[in-house]
Amino acid sequence: MTQPTRRRRVLPTTEELRVWRGFIETAEALRAELGARLQAESGLSPGDYAVLLALSEAPERRLRSSQLADDVGWERSRLSHHLGRMEKRGLIRREECRTDNRGAEVVLTPEGDAAFRASTVPHLTAVRELFVDALTPEQLAAAGEVAAALRANLG
């Protein structure tokens, strides 16, 4: 006698959708508040901060444009437009690649470094206030596990 196969549910349940919406809406509200505070306190957008962070961590504070796009998770055209705005403000400069003249490197300027450093403490204080302090140590660990599981599932 064969057992009937269980059909897997294709769509999320009402409860699963409630959790999903809560997760997405809260993440968006958190990002919006952090971005608004960053802009108000430092004049940097979240995109500026992401670019400056990647450059501040790079060897010699420079990265190829393609590597920077990968590091911040943006399409190259989006990055190019954003870098143009940052370059006009003196935060970065673009130079020909020293090892391969087919590409460009993005370089953190002293002004960009100063802006990044000035923004870091207020930004990290807001991260602590809005995210870390809102969770128990157990919830924070669980949030890390959830983020890791979602990242792994995305490949």
Side-chain angles (χ1 to χ4, degrees):
M1 189 158 109
T2 62
Q3 299 247 348
T5 58
R6 274 183 75 155
R7 186 171 167 209
R8 184 166 184 221
R9 185 178 177 96
V10 175
L11 300 176
T13 66
T14 301
E15 178 61 15
E16 290 165 341
L17 285 173
R18 185 191 66 74
V19 172
W20 164 248
R21 283 192 65 184
F23 176 79
I24 292 300
E25 290 168 1
T26 302
E28 289 300 321
L30 183 59
R31 287 177 63 138
E33 180 64 21
L34 285 169
R37 287 190 187 191
L38 180 65
Q39 186 77 48
E41 293 170 348
S42 69
L44 296 177
S45 71
D48 295 337
Y49 190 87
V51 168
L52 296 175
L53 174 62
L55 291 172
S56 74
E57 294 175 338
E60 299 182 48
R61 298 177 177 240
R62 63 176 54 232
L63 285 170
R64 295 216 30 173
S65 295
S66 57
Q67 181 62 53
L68 181 56
D70 289 344
D71 288 358
V72 298
W74 291 357
E75 295 292 325
R76 289 182 189 175
S77 62
R78 176 183 179 192
L79 178 66
S80 179
H81 291 293
H82 196 88
L83 292 177
R85 292 187 295 273
M86 292 180 75
E87 195 167 28
K88 286 178 184 170
R89 292 165 44 215
L91 299 172
I92 59 101
R93 71 177 179 272
R94 291 184 263 198
E95 298 178 353
E96 286 187 22
C97 184
R98 296 182 291 188
T99 58
D100 177 3
N101 62 4
R102 293 176 299 157
E105 289 183 317
V106 182
V107 181
L108 182 63
T109 64
E111 296 83 1
D113 185 51
F116 176 71
R117 289 180 185 278
S119 70
T120 298
V121 169
H123 180 60
L124 295 180
T125 299
V127 169
R128 171 161 289 289
E129 176 190 331
L130 297 172
F131 181 72
V132 176
D133 290 348
L135 303 174
T136 65
E138 295 79 16
Q139 290 170 327
L140 189 60
E145 292 171 10
V146 167
L150 292 171
R151 198 173 307 111
N153 189 54
L154 292 172

